[in-house]
Amino acid sequence: MPSLMIVVGSTRPGRAGLPITQWFVEQARSHGGFDITLVDLAELDLPLLDEPHIPRLRQYTQQHTKEWSAIVDASDAVVLVTPEYNFGYPATIKNAIDYLHQEWHHKPVGFVSYGGVAAGTRAVQQLKQVMTTLRMLPVCSKG
């Protein structure tokens, strides 16, 4: 069965992202077409880019990077649950993305967004630019 990695993007105390993600995990499980891996960036706790080499080389020196690489590599598709902060997505998501490079290639990516008057739409639009640069394939919902 394909593996779907669902990422909780917010790490703020009292964040809305955790219950929103839990709701989406229930939706994905009821679909029944995926093995679900939940990644909470608050628990993953990646420091701000502490690798000495560029990610494209995959010469990781930190254990947390090796573990993150293995999680992303094992996923067939990704859903990012993202808030919108000041018309954009949070730095925690950008940091988690930028730790890696090739691991992201050719994976479909979906978004669950929230926040602001646009319910996170601006954050998703910015993320789509990053995702396509990493050769990911943004997908639209049936909404």
Side-chain angles (χ1 to χ4, degrees):
M1 193 172 322
S3 172
L4 175 63
M5 178 178 67
I6 302 171
V7 179
V8 186
S10 175
T11 60
R12 282 186 174 174
R15 61 200 165 144
L18 195 54
I20 291 169
T21 302
Q22 290 166 340
W23 167 83
F24 183 76
V25 167
E26 291 174 22
Q27 303 306 305
R29 284 198 176 121
S30 70
H31 177 274
F34 301 97
D35 288 327
I36 306 294
T37 301
L38 178 61
V39 176
D40 185 342
L41 293 184
E43 292 176 12
L44 190 62
D45 198 25
L46 291 171
L48 186 59
L49 297 176
D50 65 346
E51 286 289 343
H53 308 291
I54 61 172
R56 186 178 46 80
L57 300 176
R58 291 184 90 163
Q59 295 175 348
Y60 306 131
T61 61
Q62 305 293 333
Q63 186 60 34
H64 54 257
T65 310
K66 293 173 185 176
E67 291 170 5
W68 179 224
S69 172
I71 292 167
V72 175
D73 236 0
S75 68
D76 296 307
V78 178
V79 170
L80 297 174
V81 180
T82 183
E84 182 176 306
Y85 296 158
N86 301 315
F87 281 46
Y89 60 95
T92 50
I93 292 178
K94 183 67 166 139
N95 187 52
I97 292 167
D98 287 349
Y99 256 88
L100 309 175
H101 184 75
Q102 294 172 20
E103 295 88 340
W104 299 114
H105 288 187
H106 310 295
K107 294 183 190 300
V109 58
F111 306 94
V112 175
S113 65
Y114 60 95
V117 297
T121 302
R122 295 171 290 226
V124 170
Q125 291 307 319
Q126 291 175 13
L127 276 164
K128 284 180 179 179
Q129 293 175 355
V130 174
M131 301 292 96
T132 56
T133 298
L134 288 169
R135 301 183 198 153
M136 295 183 79
L137 308 164
V139 295
C140 297
S141 69
K142 289 168 113 177

